[in-house]
Amino acid sequence: MGRAFVYVILGGGVAAGYAALEFTRRGVSDGELCIISEEPVAPYERPALSKGFLLPEGKRKPAPARLPSFHTCVGANDEKLTPKWYKDHGIELVLGTRVKSVDVRRKTLLSSTGETISYKFLIIATGARALKLEEFGVEGSDAENVCYLRDLADANRLATVIQSSSNGNAVVIGGGYIGMECAASLVINKINVTMVFPEAHCMARLFTPKIASLYEDYYRAKGVKFIKGTVLTSFEFDSNGKVTAVNLKDGNQLPADLVVVGIGIRPNTSLFEGQLTIEKGGIKVNSKMQSSDSSVYAIGDVATFPVKLFGEMRRLEHVDSARKSARHAVSAIMDPVKTGEFDYLPFFYSRVFAFSWQFYGDPTGEVVHFGDYEDGKSFGAYWVKKGHLVGSFLEGGTKEEYEIISKATQLKPAVTIDSEELEKEGLGFAQTV
Ligand code: FAD
Ligand code: NDP
């Protein structure tokens, strides 16, 4: 049993949705494109899962976000691709189906249902999986009140556990994106939160101690407790196997009605190991998102691609790069002559409580903070490396201000003034680039 398509997208997440839209805009014919996804729903904007999706139920507005409201590509203010849209565009959407093996040489995929699907071009968009506590030697991930957050099923489960934990205690493991966004959502749901992570401050890979301290102070004012420089070692369970407390390496024990774990991800590359070149944990692609096999492309979290601006191969785990790498790969496949190199400026953002920040570039080199860290509403930082601006962070900016720092960072301009002046000039510096 088998079917053949010209184009197959393996994975049905953010990158797949944006790739599908680009295919239709470039004129794919009925029956040429197939998307296979393990998830039972059409591609959606994953970022909603830690934000709008976790808002409390009830009379309070806005109501929690639910599908179909956040199918791709609404996150980029573009068309909402519902299952009907795929049908209307002659795109075969194979949902709830895991691909268990791929034969790159024969250009075939084998699904968990036993179907063989062949392709002329394959786009790998398998994203990533959440790291499990077991990988750090801690047992208990299967307990009903230990929650990870990667897909819709995880989010539904977390929302259910949140509802049954009102006024209870949550322990959030990890001080990265999931930890910070979920902690804020738990507070909004009237749950007492303690965050536990090994570093000296939250968002250690991006935030400076000064930036982190501002957000941490705000979280503390909302009742969040921080336990830093330690990790969990084990759980206490009741007779039903539910976690009742978290034991930490520093000897502390924290009561828990709910545990949220956000300790990083691993890209889903396993189907291709030994078949395609892997670099920095992802599938290595060139500036056209083409892998070491010329019929196979990789996009989104799973792809390691050349970031021209920094002259380095990078794997990025953010939605903007998933969207843009998807469009670029489709363009490279359908219009190889006119498609140039992918020239991408890394862009990260988050929204928690009333905060909203954006970061462009690379957080390396010397940091210069600017703006008002006292009132905490509008402040930022520049990263300067070898005399050039390489990274810009801004909290509370307007659309125009974010555009200004993005454009300036893309140009990687020389910084000829000293740190004090740069601090004084603040946003004005980016404006004059
Ligand atoms: P994914 O969206 O993860 O999609 C991968 C798809 O492949 C999934 O549907 C998966 O089921 C499927 N798949 C994998 N293996 C197989 C297989 N063998 N067979 C069939 N299907 C398979 N980034 C930001 O920039 N800003 C944010 O605010 C933000 N918030 C986030 C919030 C959450 C809760 C999470 C989890 C991530 C967030 N991100 C955010 C990161 C962003 O969502 C990812 O970078 C983006 O989803 C990557 O897109 P992708 O298509 O590469 O992978
Ligand atoms: P992150 O990599 O952002 O953060 C993981 C955090 O957990 C780090 O602080 C890490 O420390 C810490 N950690 C690692 N091991 C342990 C441990 N054993 N015990 C306690 N803490 C530990 O990953 P997340 O899980 O937060 O996010 C998952 C994915 O989702 C990422 O790809 C992220 O980009 C994406 N996401 C993005 C969002 C956004 O862009 N706004 C929002 C939500 C998710 P260390 O740094 O030392 O490893």
Side-chain angles (χ1 to χ4, degrees), residues 203-251:
M203 297 287 294
R205 269 175 268 174
L206 177 63
F207 287 1
T208 64
K210 187 175 166 109
I211 296 175
S213 124
L214 195 144
Y215 292 105
E216 286 180 11
D217 285 349
Y218 188 87
Y219 274 56
R220 272 192 207 96
K222 291 274 180 188
V224 175
K225 294 189 192 74
F226 289 91
I227 302 184
K228 305 175 188 177
T230 191
V231 289
L232 89 166
T233 48
S234 62
F235 292 119
E236 300 294 323
F237 300 93
D238 67 12
S239 54
N240 298 318
K242 203 172 154 185
V243 166
T244 55
V246 174
N247 297 315
L248 304 182
K249 203 173 180 178
D250 67 6

Side-chain angles (χ1 to χ4, degrees), residues 10-17 36-39 41 44-51 97-101 124-129 149-151 177-178 181-182 265 268 271 299-303 316-323 347-351:
L10 168 51
V14 172
I36 312 174
S37 181
E38 196 172 3
E39 288 192 79
V41 291
Y44 58 87
E45 302 284 359
R46 203 163 300 282
L49 299 182
S50 52
K51 305 176 187 69
T97 305
R98 182 172 177 74
V99 167
K100 57 180 193 182
S101 67
I124 305 168
T126 44
R129 65 171 180 85
L149 186 53
R150 183 69 206 180
D151 60 20
Y177 286 96
I178 291 283
E181 293 190 3
C182 287
I265 61 161
N268 291 319
L271 293 173
I299 55 179
D301 283 10
V302 78
L316 298 172
E317 300 172 358
H318 293 272
V319 76
D320 183 66
S321 101
R323 292 170 181 160
F347 164 49
F348 317 144
Y349 72 89
S350 184
R351 288 191 298 272

Side-chain angles (χ1 to χ4, degrees), residues 23 26 30 44 46 70 163 169 228 236 314 323 341 353 380 397 403:
F23 267 119
R26 287 178 180 273
D30 273 18
Y44 58 87
R46 203 163 300 282
F70 59 96
Q163 275 201 353
N169 297 309
K228 305 175 188 177
E236 300 294 323
R314 296 274 172 97
R323 292 170 181 160
E341 292 183 337
F353 297 114
E403 265 167 33

Side-chain angles (χ1 to χ4, degrees), residues 334-346:
M334 296 192 80
D335 195 356
V337 177
K338 284 207 198 121
T339 304
E341 292 183 337
F342 187 44
D343 188 6
Y344 182 68
L345 173 70

